[in-house]
Amino acid sequence: MATAVQKITLSSSRDIPFNKLVLSQSNVRRVKAGVSIEELAEDIARRGLLQGLNVRPVLDAEDKETGMFEIPAGGRRFRALERLVKQKRLAKTAPVPCVVRDPAAGILAEDDSLAENCQRAPLHPLDQFRAFQTLREKGQSEDEIAAAFFVPVNVVKQRLRLASVSATLLETYAEDGMSLEQLMAFTVSSDHARQEQVWEATRNSWSKEPYQIRRMLTESTVRASDKRAVFVGIDAYEAAGGIVLRDLFQSDDGGWLQDAALLDRLAAEKLKIMADEIANEGWKWIEVAVSFPYDNARGLRELAGTPIDITADEQATIDALKAEYAKLEAEYDGADELPDEVDERLGEIETALANFESRPVQYDPADIVRAGVFVSIDADGSLLVDRGYVRPEDEAPTAVDGEDGEDTPANTGDPAAPSVQRAVITIGGQPVEPEEDEDDVIKPLPDRLVMELTAHRTLALRDAMANNPHVAMTALLHKLVTDAFQRMSSAGGCLEASIHHVFFPAQSADLKDSPSAKSVNERQEAWKTDIPQDDQALWDWLDALDDASRMAMLAHCVSYGVNALHEKVDRYGGSGLSQHGLERRLGQADRLARACGLDMVEAGWKPTVENYLGRVTKARILEAVREARGEQAAQLIDHLKKGDMAKEAERLLADTGWLPEPLRSADADATATADPSGGESDEALPAFLSDDEAEQAGDEETDPDEPAMIAAE
């Protein structure tokens, strides 16, 4: 005989006046959490009560109903209604939907309260993202959604962006196949196909950290802080159809410009427009480029223009600015700290006065017709116009009496040797080189890299020699004595002692911005302003210099002849550089470096991905980290791919003073900066370098600097 299924009876529901309800002490919720009572009250006022209260009759001493009802489940809703009653927005006798429990039931009030709070399934973050998206599609604005759910507008934008990720990736996230942080990283790009491609490339890889996903999604883009982007302007780029990728979840420095080709075209077009305007001035030639290599004007004669005189109105403005500056200085003399507005005003005055000092220059029309201009983009994204350079072939012929009585052209000097540029394929701003074989062989540095490194050293050595006249004099005398006593051929008149300027056929992109380059250029410009153009006047000026100035000028001129470049040798005994000549050159360069006290670290050279680490093998990278930070630091990155290894090595080597062999002094200990004990490194490494996932999780929970995740709460 079959057993009859027992039927259940649900508790009845009815409306009970608000003033007949009281809170129960059986409610298990004690700690405030979630939406505040104030926000819940506003939500009830807007949309009404979505869920009734769970109540039980209040019994007297004889177990008879008193007409009052206590609330074991729904206390927060009751307090929100109570707030509305106090604000007179809800009547005291307003009916409240309630589910009334039978007092004879065997279920405790605490049981009901606990069940109502524990058996609710929290909403998956993805459902919330999609719900926000649905509200947006149905006409609600981002501000309206934010107001309805009591969250900042930026949170709504973040969650809408998360909902716009590829449906395939959203399903993966819903099935716990990726973390919320990884999903956030994919919002950088709106290209679903590219998002899925990157996920396929990283899902089975050990390196699928959010930063790696962002890097792969933006590897072919251009930073908004790039000088080309600043020069063109983000508005102009977007007006031309360009797309700017933004990261709503962390600082992105203005974002990324997706179409690099479009940006280059816009930059070239704007430079061309600027060049067309400058061409109206009558110059013979104008060279236009995004940037020019260091020393690009070598071999060209620079015209000495005449600064335009200051007008009466400009002088009056200058006097007024100086008077205002002096008044502010006197007013706040002795103050520990200037008010922000005063400090800002002083800075504005200093900038304005500096602009007046940089006077426009006038050139002789006869010079303009044979001279040219370099037009490029400065490091800060502004237009850089360098006027007034005459090529040797454009010089006006100067006749002198030759031995046969005929006129001969004057010697105008050798033109500058062209810079040799190499094609470098880059992705994300880093050179693309194939992964090295998994061996530990330390291969020789590439010749091209050694030439670039020694170009840095040559420039730094020139700067050091120019600041040490004693060494410069010794070097010059050594050269002259060698010429005089070692039977070397000497062509020309009674005495020839010349410095042949050495050009850099290979140079890295950062050479022209190095501290040495800036120091050499500043010194050259400082001397140039004082040197007369006329030959006889130049002789008289030099003759009148004091000994200190003569020595400084000598040191500066001699420094231009320094050649510490490593170059390929001629293996076939031709007219090129021999192996013996190279060794002699580098040996003398080491001697000069010791005499000048040259330190390439103090000269400003630091190992980066671009100038060294991205150009050498993984074994070389590990060797550098091992020398500078010890064996353990090297072991922590030896499992990384080359691009990531180079990036981490740059961070580890920062401020260690480590130098590659071509930049070290001859007697330097190559392992001086390494930890001789091979002990623990104090360097704080990124979490992905650790294999202990539990430890990483613990660190994430206790790190006070970790930004709070507000995209899904």
Side-chain angles (χ1 to χ4, degrees):
M1 182 176 178
T3 303
V5 178
Q6 185 178 2
K7 303 296 183 179
I8 63 173
T9 301
L10 300 177
S11 299
S12 62
S13 61
R14 60 174 171 154
D15 291 343
I16 299 175
F18 176 79
N19 60 355
K20 297 297 183 180
L21 300 174
V22 294
L23 282 175
S24 171
Q25 297 304 311
S26 301
N27 195 311
V28 299
R29 185 187 291 273
R30 295 288 188 269
V31 180
K32 294 181 179 181
V35 179
S36 69
I37 298 300
E38 294 80 2
E39 292 174 348
L40 181 56
E42 292 300 323
D43 190 70
I44 293 174
R46 175 177 176 269
R47 71 178 88 244
L49 190 64
L50 297 180
Q51 181 181 356
L53 308 181
N54 184 291
V55 301
R56 294 182 178 224
V58 177
L59 305 178
D60 59 14
E62 298 177 357
D63 291 335
K64 292 182 180 180
E65 295 187 12
T66 62
M68 300 296 292
F69 296 84
E70 63 178 358
I71 307 169
R76 297 181 70 252
R77 278 164 278 157
F78 173 80
R79 287 193 293 273
L81 292 171
E82 185 180 44
R83 180 178 178 83
L84 294 174
V85 170
K86 290 180 179 178
Q87 294 175 347
K88 301 186 182 302
R89 300 166 70 184
L90 182 69
K92 292 181 179 180
T93 58
V96 179
C98 299
V99 175
V100 183
R101 267 293 202 179
D102 184 354
I107 305 298
L108 296 175
E110 289 84 357
D111 195 345
D112 284 347
S113 178
L114 182 62
E116 185 187 69
N117 287 283
C118 292
Q119 293 179 9
R120 289 182 297 182
L123 189 67
H124 192 281
L126 181 57
D127 291 329
Q128 187 188 52
F129 306 159
R130 287 171 170 166
F132 277 18
Q133 188 178 44
T134 300
L135 294 176
R136 189 71 180 88
E137 291 171 353
K138 290 186 176 181
Q140 289 196 21
S141 68
E142 294 170 353
D143 290 334
E144 289 172 337
I145 297 173
F149 291 93
F150 306 101
V151 295
V153 176
N154 189 51
V155 173
V156 176
K157 292 181 178 179
Q158 288 177 334
R159 296 175 186 180
L160 289 173
R161 180 69 71 85
L162 286 167
S164 68
V165 174
S166 164
T168 301
L169 300 186
L170 290 178
E171 290 303 321
T172 301
Y173 170 62
E175 297 169 0
D176 297 328
M178 73 169 63
S179 67
L180 177 60
E181 290 76 15
Q182 290 171 320
L183 185 65
M184 290 177 181
F186 280 107
T187 64
V188 168
S189 172
S190 59
D191 186 342
H192 288 182
R194 180 56 179 159
Q195 290 174 353
E196 294 170 8
Q197 183 183 29
V198 169
W199 178 242
E200 286 300 320
T202 58
R203 64 186 307 172
N204 295 322
S205 170
W206 65 267
S207 179
K208 50 186 174 184
E209 300 297 323
Y211 88 89
Q212 175 74 2
I213 294 172
R214 287 187 178 90
R215 188 185 68 80
M216 294 180 67
L217 288 171
T218 60
E219 61 187 358
S220 60
T221 62
V222 178
R223 277 282 188 183
S225 56
D226 185 275
K227 68 177 183 179
R228 292 169 294 170
V230 176
F231 177 68
V232 171
I234 301 299
D235 292 341
Y237 168 78
E238 290 182 318
I243 298 175
V244 179
L245 307 181
R246 297 304 305 265
D247 192 338
L248 295 182
F249 298 96
Q250 60 178 235
S251 175
D252 59 7
D253 194 22
W256 299 265
L257 279 63
Q258 189 176 43
D259 195 339
L262 173 62
L263 177 63
D264 287 335
R265 178 172 66 81
L266 294 175
E269 290 174 354
K270 187 172 181 179
L271 283 171
K272 178 64 166 55
I273 293 173
M274 301 294 186
D276 288 339
E277 295 178 359
I278 296 171
N280 295 330
E281 300 174 11
W283 301 98
K284 183 173 182 179
W285 53 267
I286 297 177
E287 288 193 15
V288 179
V290 172
S291 62
F292 290 101
Y294 171 77
D295 227 10
N296 63 294
R298 175 59 57 181
L300 308 183
R301 179 171 64 88
E302 184 177 1
L303 298 178
T306 303
I308 298 177
D309 294 335
I310 296 176
T311 65
D313 290 342
E314 289 176 332
Q315 186 60 53
T317 302
I318 292 173
D319 294 340
L321 289 173
K322 289 182 177 179
E324 182 183 358
Y325 193 94
K327 179 181 177 182
L328 289 174
E329 276 194 325
E331 184 177 350
Y332 292 95
D333 185 26
D336 294 336
E337 186 175 356
L338 295 175
D340 292 341
E341 61 276 9
V342 174
D343 188 53
E344 181 179 356
R345 179 54 184 163
L346 290 175
E348 293 174 352
I349 295 174
E350 290 173 352
T351 301
L353 292 175
N355 291 335
F356 278 115
E357 292 178 0
S358 302
R359 304 295 301 162
V361 178
Q362 287 181 328
Y363 297 95
D364 188 335
D367 289 331
I368 291 179
V369 297
R370 67 168 60 94
V373 183
F374 294 101
V375 179
S376 60
I377 304 175
D378 209 348
D380 61 357
S382 62
L383 181 68
L384 179 60
V385 181
D386 203 3
R387 293 177 171 86
Y389 291 92
V390 182
R391 293 167 174 163
E393 61 269 25
D394 295 332
E395 292 282 5
T398 302
V400 296
D401 293 334
E403 293 180 353
D404 54 0
E406 298 181 357
D407 289 346
T408 58
N411 181 16
T412 57
D414 295 329
S419 297
V420 179
Q421 301 296 323
R422 61 183 177 90
V424 178
I425 301 174
T426 60
I427 296 179
Q430 297 185 5
V432 176
E433 294 185 6
E435 289 291 331
E436 320 300 337
D437 295 334
E438 295 299 324
D439 55 45
D440 296 327
V441 177
I442 303 296
K443 299 178 181 179
L445 294 176
D447 288 338
R448 173 81 191 192
L449 177 58
V450 176
M451 293 174 71
E452 291 182 4
L453 292 173
T454 52
H456 267 286
R457 190 186 189 214
T458 299
L459 201 57
L461 189 53
R462 289 181 183 178
D463 187 38
M465 175 181 281
N467 287 295
N468 197 324
H470 178 79
V471 175
M473 177 66 80
T474 304
L476 178 60
L477 288 175
H478 180 272
K479 169 67 167 57
L480 297 177
V481 170
T482 301
D483 291 344
F485 292 89
Q486 294 189 2
R487 301 185 302 278
M488 292 186 178
S489 173
S490 179
C494 62
L495 174 64
E496 287 192 3
S498 62
I499 296 298
H500 300 284
H501 182 85
V502 181
F503 298 95
F504 302 141
Q507 56 180 270
S508 57
D510 61 345
L511 181 63
K512 66 178 180 180
D513 295 322
S514 65
S516 300
K518 293 178 180 178
S519 177
V520 171
N521 290 341
E522 289 172 0
R523 188 182 308 107
Q524 174 80 356
E525 292 301 319
W527 280 115
K528 187 184 296 184
T529 57
D530 295 334
I531 296 177
Q533 296 297 315
D534 181 73
D535 184 70
Q536 183 58 48
L538 174 62
W539 175 271
D540 295 338
W541 180 78
L542 290 171
D543 187 54
L545 287 178
D546 58 74
D547 288 344
S549 299
R550 289 163 64 88
M551 290 293 288
M553 171 63 82
L554 174 65
H556 177 69
C557 294
V558 170
S559 71
Y560 270 97
V562 172
N563 184 359
L565 289 175
H566 179 283
E567 298 182 67
K568 289 185 177 180
V569 299
D570 187 346
R571 301 179 180 178
Y572 305 103
S575 58
L577 181 66
S578 66
Q579 181 64 36
H580 173 72
L582 177 62
E583 293 173 355
R584 185 166 179 262
R585 172 194 293 178
L586 297 181
Q588 291 184 359
D590 287 337
R591 183 174 62 206
L592 278 179
R594 288 193 300 271
C596 293
L598 175 64
D599 185 336
M600 288 301 297
V601 176
E602 294 180 358
W605 193 91
K606 295 181 179 180
T608 66
V609 173
E610 289 77 13
N611 68 14
Y612 183 80
L613 298 169
R615 312 275 300 282
V616 298
T617 64
K618 293 173 68 175
R620 282 277 185 184
I621 298 174
L622 292 174
E623 179 191 39
V625 174
R626 189 176 294 112
E627 290 180 356
R629 302 307 299 262
E631 179 63 33
Q632 185 178 15
Q635 291 177 359
L636 286 173
I637 66 171
D638 62 3
H639 64 288
L640 299 178
K641 290 185 177 181
K642 181 179 174 181
D644 296 328
M645 179 185 290
K647 181 179 178 181
E648 285 304 314
E650 177 179 334
R651 189 178 63 83
L652 290 169
L653 294 175
D655 301 325
T656 63
W658 181 88
L659 295 171
E661 297 93 330
L663 300 187
R664 299 174 185 172
S665 58
D667 55 351
D669 182 3
T671 60
T673 58
D675 181 2
S677 65
E680 296 284 341
S681 172
D682 294 332
E683 178 67 25
L685 297 175
F688 77 90
L689 294 181
S690 172
D691 293 327
D692 188 347
E693 296 180 1
E695 181 179 347
Q696 292 178 29
D699 291 342
E700 292 173 0
E701 293 174 1
T702 58
D703 187 0
D705 297 327
E706 186 69 23
M709 291 298 177
I710 61 173
E713 298 170 343

